[in-house]
Amino acid sequence: MEAKERVVVFGGTRGIGREVARLYAQRGASVALFGRNVSDLERSAADLRARGVPEATMTTMPCDLADPKSFAPALDLAISTLGKLDIIVVTAAVFGTQDALESDSAATARLLALDFANTILFCEEARKRLLKAGGGKLCVFSSVAGDRARSSVVLYGAAKAGLSAYLAGLDARYRRSGLMTICVKPGFVRTGMTDGLREPPFAGEAEEVAQIAVNAIDHNLPVVYAPPMWRSVMAVVRALPRFVIRRMNF
């Protein structure tokens, strides 16, 4: 009998992360939900159970993206609880509009720390443990905002560009050692993070994006866009001359 997958979802309390956890749990995987708030974790687990996820497949563990000291203990607890880890998915992140970030240096510092430095620090802890166990899959959500510098997402895009570059390097360095790195690049997704924002074309749903991510993990795809239309859109955007980008507010 094929062994059940053992999965960590960091950011599993809402949105895409919760949908990823549901997809894995419904196919029989053992899932550890990581998140900052214990009450949110319990509500997420209860929501998943109410939608038919067996209670035995779901466990919760506090882990705060703002506190790198929480990363190693959470991962070690997940390993001791699940036996080993096969897949680690990171959807945890923050967002801020360019105008809001430019007027709030503290929010800028927080976004750059969480979406770039701290996400990488968590991935490094995950990398060490997966490689020590013989390999595994690390799936991290970046963004199409990191594919090309644009006036509307200068700061957020810079953080995601750096994260995407790190994930590409990780894939180049460790794939032959058994670490499969998957970078998911969503466009605009309808979640609580985007409530109140003007919706652009090609907006996606959390369920759709989660399914795309799980499919990419299943097939060890190093980069995947979600929804898929964004691959073509960003190919065009990357090809535009800089003087054209300067004239466009997008």
Side-chain angles (χ1 to χ4, degrees), residues 191-209:
T191 67
M193 185 183 291
T194 58
D195 280 350
L197 299 179
R198 183 175 62 85
E199 187 173 302
F202 318 122
E205 299 290 348
E207 297 89 341
E208 173 193 15
V209 172

Side-chain angles (χ1 to χ4, degrees), residues 148-151 234-248 250:
R148 178 74 190 264
R150 295 181 283 128
S151 64
M234 295 314 297
V236 173
V237 171
R238 288 194 303 271
L240 292 173
R242 184 172 290 194
F243 76 87
V244 174
I245 292 289
R246 288 196 195 103
R247 294 175 182 175
M248 301 175 70
F250 74 103

Side-chain angles (χ1 to χ4, degrees), residues 65 67-69 71-72 75 113-114 116-129 163 166:
L65 190 58
D67 180 15
K69 292 180 180 178
F71 300 164
L75 286 166
L114 270 60
F116 178 63
N118 289 9
T119 299
I120 290 176
L121 290 174
F122 178 84
C123 289
E124 284 295 287
E125 295 294 340
R127 170 188 65 77
K128 295 172 189 175
R129 286 159 178 79
L163 177 60
Y166 163 77

Side-chain angles (χ1 to χ4, degrees), residues 89-114:
V89 182
V90 183
T91 66
V94 295
F95 177 75
T97 65
Q98 183 64 24
D99 289 343
L101 293 171
E102 286 182 356
S103 65
D104 188 340
S105 59
T108 296
R110 181 173 182 267
L111 181 141
L112 294 175
L114 270 60

Side-chain angles (χ1 to χ4, degrees):
M1 180 181 297
E2 186 177 352
K4 292 182 178 179
E5 297 158 311
R6 288 152 293 196
V7 183
V8 163
V9 181
F10 189 8
T13 57
R14 63 194 66 196
I16 298 169
R18 184 184 290 184
E19 292 301 320
V20 169
R22 178 182 61 81
L23 289 170
Y24 275 114
Q26 287 183 336
R27 74 187 203 182
S30 297
V31 180
L33 295 177
F34 281 17
R36 178 186 62 200
N37 186 286
V38 174
S39 296
D40 285 347
L41 285 168
E42 291 305 322
R43 277 195 293 270
S44 291
D47 172 74
L48 291 166
R49 288 193 290 269
R51 291 199 275 171
V53 172
E55 184 167 0
T57 66
M58 190 70 55
T59 186
T60 62
M61 295 168 189
C63 188
D64 187 352
L65 190 58
D67 180 15
K69 292 180 180 178
S70 71
F71 300 164
L75 286 166
D76 289 340
L77 180 58
I79 291 168
S80 66
T81 301
L82 302 183
K84 72 182 291 288
L85 300 179
D86 302 303
I87 301 166
I88 299 175
V89 182
V90 183
T91 66
V94 295
F95 177 75
T97 65
Q98 183 64 24
D99 289 343
L101 293 171
E102 286 182 356
S103 65
D104 188 340
S105 59
T108 296
R110 181 173 182 267
L111 181 141
L112 294 175
L114 270 60
D115 287 0
F116 178 63
N118 289 9
T119 299
I120 290 176
L121 290 174
F122 178 84
C123 289
E124 284 295 287
E125 295 294 340
R127 170 188 65 77
K128 295 172 189 175
R129 286 159 178 79
L130 290 173
L131 286 171
K132 184 178 179 180
K137 303 185 182 188
L138 175 62
C139 174
V140 185
F141 278 65
S142 183
S143 171
V144 299
D147 270 21
R148 178 74 190 264
R150 295 181 283 128
S151 64
S152 61
V153 284
V154 175
L155 294 163
Y156 178 73
K160 292 301 188 178
L163 177 60
S164 294
Y166 163 77
L167 295 170
L170 207 63
D171 182 68
R173 184 172 177 85
Y174 290 110
R175 182 164 284 242
R176 285 178 293 181
S177 300
L179 178 65
M180 305 293 123
T181 303
I182 295 96
C183 175
V184 182
K185 296 184 177 183
F188 186 100
V189 184
R190 298 182 185 99
T191 67
M193 185 183 291
T194 58
D195 280 350
L197 299 179
R198 183 175 62 85
E199 187 173 302
F202 318 122
E205 299 290 348
E207 297 89 341
E208 173 193 15
V209 172
Q211 185 63 70
I212 289 169
V214 171
N215 289 341
I217 295 168
D218 286 344
H219 294 93
N220 297 326
L221 302 179
V223 179
V224 64
Y225 288 79
M229 174 62 74
W230 281 104
R231 179 179 294 275
S232 299
V233 171
M234 295 314 297
V236 173
V237 171
R238 288 194 303 271
L240 292 173
R242 184 172 290 194
F243 76 87
V244 174
I245 292 289
R246 288 196 195 103
R247 294 175 182 175
M248 301 175 70
N249 182 27
F250 74 103

